[in-house]
């Protein structure tokens, strides 16, 4: 059930309106952070993909990036660089969006 929740969030995190709605919900962002920290690699992959989609560079990405850094998502993505290859590859991609600014 947790996986289904993240996959649903992951598939909606790519649009501008979806990003705005998700970023306004700190409870959902904390859930994403919990999934980034989870021992289940499928949850980590889904959450990493979602954060990456929400971190895509646009005119409002600076605010999203600051919020992700403040809440701990950025640091957790960095810690996933030493995880299993399928997780670390996704983390690298997501982190690239933070470095575009």
């Amino acid at each position: 059930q947790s996986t289904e929740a993240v996959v649903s969030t992951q598939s909606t995190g790519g649009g501008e309106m979806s990003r705005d709605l998700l970023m306004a919900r700190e409870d959902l962002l904390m859930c994403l952070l919990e999934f980034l920290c989870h021992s289940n690699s499928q949850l980590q992959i889904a959450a990493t993909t979602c954060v990456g989609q929400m971190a895509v560079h646009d005119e409002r990405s600076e605010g999203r990036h600051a919020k992700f850094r403040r809440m701990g998502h950025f640091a957790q993505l960095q810690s996933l660089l030493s995880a299993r290859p399928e997780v670390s590859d996704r983390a690298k991609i997501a982190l690239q969006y933070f470095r575009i600014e």
Side-chain angles (χ1 to χ4, degrees):
Q1 189 172 8
S2 296
T3 306
E4 292 171 6
V6 172
V7 171
S8 295
T9 305
Q10 171 185 342
S11 58
T12 61
E16 183 177 328
M17 186 171 156
S18 297
R19 284 193 294 263
D20 291 344
L21 292 172
L22 289 170
M23 291 304 293
R25 297 277 312 269
E26 290 208 8
D27 58 327
L28 291 178
L29 296 177
M30 289 306 298
C31 184
L32 275 177
L33 182 58
E34 289 175 23
F35 290 149
L36 286 172
C37 299
H38 202 280
S39 60
N40 181 316
S41 63
Q42 295 292 38
L43 288 176
Q44 290 175 327
I45 290 168
T48 299
T49 301
C50 184
V51 171
Q53 288 175 344
M54 293 169 58
V56 169
H57 185 71
D58 62 24
E59 62 277 353
R60 293 194 306 249
S61 61
E62 187 175 327
R64 292 193 305 271
H65 293 184
K67 191 168 194 174
F68 280 134
R69 283 186 174 97
R70 179 178 49 80
M71 293 182 73
H73 295 76
F74 183 78
Q76 185 58 32
L77 285 173
Q78 289 178 312
S79 74
L80 290 176
L81 292 175
S82 60
R84 296 167 52 176
E86 62 271 15
V87 176
S88 65
D89 290 346
R90 299 287 175 107
K92 286 176 195 172
I93 292 167
L95 286 167
Q96 287 175 354
Y97 291 118
F98 285 91
R99 295 186 176 108
I100 289 176
E101 295 181 294

